Amino acid sequence: MAAPVDFLTYVDDHQDQFIQRLATAVEIPSVSGEPARRPDVVRMAKYLEEQLQAYGVETKQVDLGTHVMDGQTLPLPPAILGRIGNDKAKKTVLIYGHFDVQPAELSDGWSWPPFTLTRDEKTGRLYGRGSSDDKGPVLGWVNVLEAHHQLQKPLPVNLRFCFEGMEESGSEGLDDLILEEVKKGKESWFDGVDCVCISDNYWLNTRTPALTYGLRGISYYKVNIAGPARDLHSGVFGRMVHEPMTDLITLLSKLVDPQGNILVPGVDEMVPAADEEEKKLYTALDYSIEDVELSAGGKIALSDDKASVLMGRMRSPSLSLHGIEGAFYGAGAKTVIPAKVAGKFSIRLVPPQTPENVDPLVISYLETEFKKLGSKNTFSIENLHGGKPWVEDHKHWSYEAARRATEAIYKQTPDYTREGGSIPVTLTFAEALGVNVLLLPMGRGDDGAHSTNEKLDISNYIEGTKLLGTYLYEVAAGTKA
Amino acid sequence: MAAPVDFLTYVDDHQDQFIQRLATAVEIPSVSGEPARRPDVVRMAKYLEEQLQAYGVETKQVDLGTHVMDGQTLPLPPAILGRIGNDKAKKTVLIYGHFDVQPAELSDGWSWPPFTLTRDEKTGRLYGRGSSDDKGPVLGWVNVLEAHHQLQKPLPVNLRFCFEGMEESGSEGLDDLILEEVKKGKESWFDGVDCVCISDNYWLNTRTPALTYGLRGISYYKVNIAGPARDLHSGVFGRMVHEPMTDLITLLSKLVDPQGNILVPGVDEMVPAADEEEKKLYTALDYSIEDVELSAGGKIALSDDKASVLMGRMRSPSLSLHGIEGAFYGAGAKTVIPAKVAGKFSIRLVPPQTPENVDPLVISYLETEFKKLGSKNTFSIENLHGGKPWVEDHKHWSYEAARRATEAIYKQTPDYTREGGSIPVTLTFAEALGVNVLLLPMGRGDDGAHSTNEKLDISNYIEGTKLLGTYLYEVAAGTKA
């Protein structure tokens, strides 16, 4: 069932108002990672809640308690739950989004003040922190609500909302909220949810809409090597003692090679190779080596073969060496032998990998390799955090509805993508609710979500609003078919 | 010629005054590395100059110009030249020392305020920044001058002084001063100098006085690997692109092994192995594996063989990996792929190694190894600074004089040591003046020169003052012999 014409027309006719709505939201610097801006996150929660209420959504602010950041105990910003519609003949869709943003300062290299929405008529872009991640998509849903409210049209599905203000700072408190809410059964705000839709990622490129059905997991490690009681002078102690940095660098060099192959035995091997049919899925995606090099800002792709590069991100594990804690990191030439160093690295996981089956391989490998060094320093390894990968059934009716909606709005078949990163709440919803989760991105691959000059194309915001609304109609149609 | 008894008695009788002199000096926080304390370095220069003048030394403050530190242009503290005695029948000894100190804050972990000299009667120690490095030794010379002045005894040699206030910050301006002064010929304050004596290092241990005849040189390198235009998200880009950290860690792992062997072909091989006779020199030193592990604060010696461990520091090159600039170095778990990283390492050099013959080996080896990686990232290597090693003829009459003086005061034959670190001015004096340079340490191996709770044992300060004076008499005796 295509979306009704009056809805689509309403969206077109109210572009300027919708952009003004986004401008108001961007002006609230709801940076969850900076304690001083915590009141702005709360203010943003209130703004969003008022918008939802204005269009008939019943809401509830949920207090998530406190947490510690930079040594300060801070109240967490509230999460907002919402519901509208309770028609048992309709499907119920749960919408997730977040209203906090990454830090941004003009001095980081922004061309415009980050907390003012700057409209560039020439490129048709809206610049500002949060424009794409995730205020644009969240307000896209509000736009859909407004259109139906003003047109006095009933929504084609029942909607539930779960919006948080800590996504950019580890979604603290959210998992607990979801798990406790689910436990309430009939009393739960999530009762009767048939599927979840999250609009918080991006197209693969700048041209083709995408549906995303997979995310990599992660396991993050810290390898500690310690020896002397204090940092030593390399002139005085060099070649008298085992140096922790030498041990650590030797170990880190045994984890991954410059072609990206993971050297920990058994890790790459856990993932079955793609057959020709699966490779075709990646060949079919609208993406090129030029796209990856453009977005990385360097001609550094691991291969000239598009499918191989895309599989590297979407269906292969990866191991990245992030840095070293405790060693000299400044400019200049300090001649220190650091006493205690910690190497940080992480592995992105794909099914069937989980932290539970990968961690023992990594830990025992490094323990064995450390013993081979014959060093008198001490070794230990910690797992700092982990998360399972997620892959969804992309032939589910929710994905079919999203495909039809995309074809209706963009006249294009969407790319079916898997993302290399993690959105942990996806897995929480999938496991806690036991329903299909769809990632339906609004923005483009070059939006610069965590970067300077974050933007959302006006066309993505407006057509994206239509897409979200149309998706709801297609969900309803799928149900009736 | 032993020192006259009245000199030795004067020193014993004036211990408290000498300690008070050191206390006054320690109270001036002449930290050359902190721009805000630069006026204190100038105040310390003035205090020292007045002390010298009080005991008959003609002095001159030399303006060394300006330099840039932390982005500020600062006047360098003056160097102080001094001279006393012009008897052509006597040897002329040039004394070098420095009156600036390392930074120190109580909050670094000092047990007492670092800029107050704290006398611990139980241990017989004087705690305070600069007590051992290098205010104690410098004032040891002043004590010798005072004794002769008060006793109205002529000094056994002519003395020249060169004291600087920038030693802890790279001795800026000093090389130029020495080279220009030497050029002046007959007008030079260094005219007629027969030998140089520097008291600015330490005994090997806490028991045995030492004469030091060698220092290692250094060559410091920075290896740059760059790829993307900005830091990348490891979820999004992991296994799509060549990661600079992977390349850098792989390269750094090819430089040195956990046993301290340098893996750059040709570097270790430049230094002839020690024969049995040379090994005996090291076996003879009053030193143990326990000493090295005590001073390092960990049981991490590379070998159980004392001679081998001592040769590692004194007559072998060493390669230390200091750290990485540009990578994640904080606490926590950041999932970044750093765009541009720089590995810092240095090689301590021993004869016949020099930066000139070692640098090409290192550079061409790393260039070759980088090509082997098959990475599309970019590679470059810089040499940040270098200095030649120095080894002196330890059978020279100046060393013989110092040996006899040590035997007279301490009733012990000194250890003949080579230091693992560098004191660049040593080589400048040796090359510019073409005379023998002697390092005659006053303090012990556990003084903690650049550490918290720096100290000088009272006995080292008092007996050390006698040693410095006696050395001058033995130089005079050696001349006449």
Side-chain angles (χ1 to χ4, degrees):
Chain A
M1 179 168 76
V5 173
D6 54 350
F7 162 67
L8 301 175
T9 307
Y10 186 95
V11 175
D12 279 330
D13 291 348
H14 292 78
Q15 292 196 24
D16 287 346
Q17 290 93 316
F18 291 170
I19 291 171
Q20 183 49 49
R21 168 172 288 138
L22 183 54
T24 305
V26 166
E27 268 165 37
I28 303 172
S30 51
V31 179
S32 56
E34 293 173 359
R37 287 194 154 160
R38 189 57 56 88
D40 294 312
V41 186
V42 176
R43 191 151 57 90
M44 182 63 208
K46 193 155 178 291
Y47 173 72
L48 178 59
E49 189 181 24
E50 285 165 359
Q51 294 275 307
L52 293 168
Q53 289 171 346
Y55 305 119
V57 179
E58 179 193 359
T59 63
K60 177 185 170 183
Q61 284 204 8
V62 184
D63 180 357
L64 299 179
T66 62
H67 75 138
V68 176
M69 180 178 275
D70 296 353
Q72 282 179 259
T73 298
L74 294 172
L76 287 162
I80 295 171
L81 298 179
R83 56 188 169 198
I84 180 170
N86 207 15
D87 182 342
K88 297 223 184 293
K90 291 178 179 175
K91 285 279 182 199
T92 300
V93 180
L94 171 62
I95 307 298
Y96 162 88
H98 65 91
F99 51 83
D100 63 318
V101 297
Q102 282 278 319
E105 301 289 341
L106 191 57
S107 60
D108 295 341
W110 283 74
S111 306
W112 307 275
F115 295 108
T116 301
L117 192 74
T118 301
R119 180 173 178 159
D120 182 346
E121 291 297 346
K122 228 169 82 181
T123 58
R125 289 173 166 181
L126 303 167
Y127 289 94
R129 173 58 86 223
S131 56
S132 183
D133 180 18
D134 187 35
K135 290 178 174 175
V138 164
L139 297 182
W141 292 112
V142 174
N143 296 340
V144 170
L145 290 168
E146 177 194 312
H148 286 78
H149 186 83
Q150 296 303 102
L151 295 169
Q152 296 183 299
K153 293 177 78 72
L155 288 157
V157 297
N158 306 311
L159 286 179
R160 302 292 177 263
F161 298 95
C162 177
F163 293 125
E164 67 160 325
M166 281 296 287
E167 199 271 349
E168 303 295 2
S169 300
S171 289
E172 287 213 50
L174 189 69
D175 273 8
D176 287 348
L177 177 155
I178 294 168
L179 298 176
E180 278 170 35
E181 200 54 42
V182 166
K183 271 194 225 153
K184 294 179 187 163
K186 287 284 159 201
E187 304 302 308
S188 166
W189 285 63
F190 301 152
D191 182 50
V193 164
D194 295 299
C195 68
V196 179
C197 180
I198 300 177
S199 187
D200 187 24
N201 69 311
Y202 309 92
W203 299 355
L204 194 52
N205 54 38
T206 58
R207 302 172 297 272
T208 315
L211 310 183
T212 301
Y213 65 99
L215 295 166
R216 292 199 284 196
I218 189 169
S219 205
Y220 200 110
Y221 305 93
K222 183 180 177 195
V223 186
N224 304 291
I225 311 275
R230 64 201 76 86
D231 288 359
L232 302 177
H233 188 290
S234 67
V236 179
F237 287 93
R239 209 146 184 173
M240 290 219 296
V241 298
H242 291 282
E243 300 188 12
M245 269 293 274
T246 305
D247 296 352
L248 180 65
I249 295 286
T250 307
L251 288 183
L252 295 181
S253 77
K254 294 175 189 293
L255 291 169
V256 59
D257 74 18
Q259 311 315 316
N261 300 302
I262 298 176
L263 305 176
V264 181
V267 173
D268 271 353
E269 293 82 349
M270 286 172 78
V271 184
D275 57 20
E276 285 310 309
E277 196 188 328
E278 191 184 349
K279 277 186 193 157
K280 274 183 206 154
L281 289 179
Y282 296 96
T283 312
L285 295 176
D286 182 10
Y287 201 64
S288 69
I289 297 296
E290 202 180 4
D291 285 325
V292 66
E293 295 189 329
L294 209 65
S295 60
K299 295 198 168 298
I300 54 173
L302 282 171
S303 160
D304 294 334
D305 176 55
K306 172 181 125 180
S308 143
V309 168
L310 278 175
M311 287 193 293
R313 158 161 149 190
M314 296 186 181
R315 57 105 60 219
S316 301
S318 64
L319 193 155
S320 295
L321 304 168
H322 304 300
I324 295 174
E325 187 178 340
F328 172 49
Y329 60 82
K334 198 173 167 190
T335 54
V336 73
I337 296 174
K340 197 176 152 186
V341 287
K344 310 278 183 77
F345 69 96
S346 66
I347 304 182
R348 298 281 169 173
L349 307 173
V350 295
Q353 297 172 326
T354 62
E356 288 68 32
N357 62 28
V358 167
D359 289 356
L361 297 177
V362 172
I363 292 168
S364 92
Y365 173 67
L366 282 177
E367 282 171 350
T368 305
E369 290 300 319
F370 179 72
K371 278 187 199 125
K372 287 188 196 165
L373 302 186
S375 169
K376 293 181 189 162
N377 292 317
T378 63
F379 164 94
S380 68
I381 178 164
E382 294 169 68
N383 189 285
L384 295 192
H385 67 79
K388 283 190 278 192
W390 165 80
V391 177
E392 188 55 275
D393 169 18
H394 59 77
K395 296 188 175 160
H396 185 271
W397 53 257
S398 176
Y399 280 81
E400 286 294 295
R403 177 184 57 76
R404 291 194 303 271
T406 305
E407 287 166 351
I409 301 300
Y410 285 104
K411 317 297 177 207
Q412 280 177 282
T413 302
D415 278 340
Y416 282 81
T417 66
R418 287 165 64 174
E419 290 260 352
S422 315
I423 310 177
V425 72
T426 309
L427 197 67
T428 308
F429 278 127
E431 293 188 339
L433 300 178
V435 300
N436 183 282
V437 181
L438 162 72
L439 304 190
L440 181 58
M442 174 182 273
R444 300 184 185 184
D446 66 347
D447 280 358
H450 289 196
S451 246
T452 52
N453 294 338
E454 176 181 346
K455 60 89 180 164
L456 179 65
D457 291 80
I458 295 174
S459 67
N460 282 57
Y461 184 48
I462 299 305
E463 299 307 304
T465 292
K466 293 180 193 168
L467 174 69
L468 299 180
T470 303
Y471 161 71
L472 302 181
Y473 283 94
E474 292 293 349
V475 164
T479 314
K480 286 171 188 164
Chain B
M1 179 167 77
V5 172
D6 55 352
F7 162 68
L8 300 174
T9 306
Y10 186 95
V11 175
D12 279 330
D13 291 348
H14 292 79
Q15 291 196 26
D16 288 344
Q17 291 93 315
F18 291 169
I19 290 170
Q20 184 50 50
R21 167 172 287 137
L22 183 55
T24 305
V26 166
E27 269 166 36
I28 303 171
S30 52
V31 179
S32 56
E34 294 174 358
R37 286 190 155 164
R38 190 57 55 87
D40 295 311
V41 186
V42 176
R43 192 149 60 89
M44 182 63 207
K46 195 157 176 292
Y47 172 72
L48 178 58
E49 189 181 24
E50 285 166 0
Q51 295 277 305
L52 294 168
Q53 288 170 346
Y55 305 119
V57 179
E58 177 192 0
T59 63
K60 177 184 167 182
Q61 285 203 8
V62 185
D63 180 356
L64 300 178
T66 62
H67 74 138
V68 176
M69 180 177 274
D70 296 352
Q72 282 180 260
T73 298
L74 294 171
L76 287 162
I80 296 171
L81 298 180
R83 55 188 170 198
I84 180 169
N86 207 14
D87 183 340
K88 297 221 180 297
K90 292 178 178 173
K91 284 279 184 200
T92 301
V93 179
L94 171 62
I95 308 297
Y96 163 88
H98 65 91
F99 50 83
D100 63 319
V101 296
Q102 280 279 318
E105 302 288 342
L106 190 57
S107 60
D108 295 341
W110 283 73
S111 306
W112 307 275
F115 295 108
T116 302
L117 192 75
T118 302
R119 180 173 177 158
D120 181 346
E121 291 299 348
K122 226 167 84 182
T123 58
R125 288 173 167 182
L126 304 167
Y127 289 93
R129 174 57 86 224
S131 57
S132 184
D133 179 20
D134 187 34
K135 290 179 174 175
V138 164
L139 297 182
W141 293 113
V142 173
N143 297 341
V144 170
L145 291 168
E146 176 192 312
H148 286 79
H149 186 84
Q150 298 301 104
L151 296 169
Q152 295 184 300
K153 295 178 76 71
L155 288 157
V157 297
N158 306 313
L159 285 179
R160 303 292 177 263
F161 297 96
C162 177
F163 292 125
E164 67 160 323
M166 282 296 287
E167 199 272 346
E168 302 294 2
S169 301
S171 288
E172 287 212 49
L174 189 70
D175 273 10
D176 286 349
L177 178 155
I178 293 168
L179 298 175
E180 278 169 33
E181 200 56 42
V182 166
K183 271 194 224 151
K184 293 178 186 163
K186 287 285 159 202
E187 304 302 309
S188 166
W189 284 64
F190 301 151
D191 182 50
V193 164
D194 293 300
C195 67
V196 178
C197 180
I198 299 178
S199 186
D200 186 23
N201 67 311
Y202 308 92
W203 299 354
L204 195 51
N205 54 37
T206 59
R207 305 171 295 271
T208 318
L211 310 183
T212 300
Y213 65 98
L215 296 167
R216 291 197 284 195
I218 190 169
S219 205
Y220 199 109
Y221 305 92
K222 183 181 177 196
V223 186
N224 304 292
I225 310 275
R230 64 200 76 86
D231 288 0
L232 302 178
H233 187 289
S234 68
V236 180
F237 287 93
R239 209 143 183 175
M240 290 222 296
V241 298
H242 291 283
E243 300 189 12
M245 270 293 274
T246 305
D247 296 352
L248 181 65
I249 294 287
T250 307
L251 289 182
L252 294 180
S253 77
K254 293 175 188 293
L255 292 169
V256 60
D257 73 20
Q259 311 314 318
N261 299 302
I262 298 176
L263 305 177
V264 182
V267 172
D268 271 351
E269 293 82 349
M270 286 172 79
V271 184
D275 57 21
E276 285 310 310
E277 196 187 328
E278 191 183 350
K279 277 186 193 160
K280 275 185 206 151
L281 290 178
Y282 295 97
T283 311
L285 295 175
D286 182 9
Y287 201 64
S288 69
I289 298 295
E290 203 181 3
D291 285 324
V292 65
E293 295 190 330
L294 210 65
S295 59
K299 296 200 169 296
I300 53 172
L302 282 171
S303 161
D304 294 335
D305 176 54
K306 171 179 125 179
S308 144
V309 168
L310 279 174
M311 287 194 292
R313 159 162 148 188
M314 296 186 180
R315 56 103 62 215
S316 300
S318 64
L319 192 154
S320 294
L321 304 169
H322 304 299
I324 295 174
E325 187 179 340
F328 173 49
Y329 59 83
K334 197 173 165 189
T335 54
V336 73
I337 297 173
K340 198 175 152 185
V341 288
K344 310 278 183 77
F345 69 96
S346 66
I347 304 182
R348 298 282 170 175
L349 307 173
V350 295
Q353 297 172 325
T354 61
E356 289 67 30
N357 62 28
V358 167
D359 290 356
L361 297 177
V362 173
I363 291 167
S364 91
Y365 173 67
L366 282 177
E367 282 171 350
T368 305
E369 290 299 319
F370 179 72
K371 279 188 197 124
K372 288 187 195 164
L373 302 186
S375 169
K376 293 181 188 161
N377 291 318
T378 63
F379 165 93
S380 69
I381 179 165
E382 296 168 67
N383 189 285
L384 296 191
H385 67 79
K388 283 190 277 193
W390 165 80
V391 176
E392 189 55 275
D393 169 17
H394 59 79
K395 298 191 173 158
H396 185 271
W397 52 256
S398 175
Y399 279 81
E400 286 293 297
R403 177 184 57 75
R404 292 195 302 273
T406 303
E407 288 166 351
I409 300 302
Y410 285 104
K411 319 295 178 207
Q412 281 177 281
T413 303
D415 278 339
Y416 283 81
T417 66
R418 286 164 66 173
E419 290 260 352
S422 314
I423 311 178
V425 72
T426 310
L427 197 69
T428 308
F429 279 127
E431 293 188 338
L433 300 176
V435 300
N436 184 283
V437 181
L438 162 71
L439 303 191
L440 181 58
M442 173 180 274
R444 300 183 186 186
D446 66 346
D447 280 358
H450 289 196
S451 246
T452 52
N453 293 338
E454 176 181 346
K455 60 88 180 166
L456 179 65
D457 291 80
I458 295 173
S459 67
N460 282 58
Y461 184 47
I462 300 305
E463 299 307 305
T465 291
K466 293 181 194 167
L467 173 69
L468 298 180
T470 304
Y471 161 72
L472 302 181
Y473 283 95
E474 293 294 349
V475 164
T479 314
K480 286 172 190 165

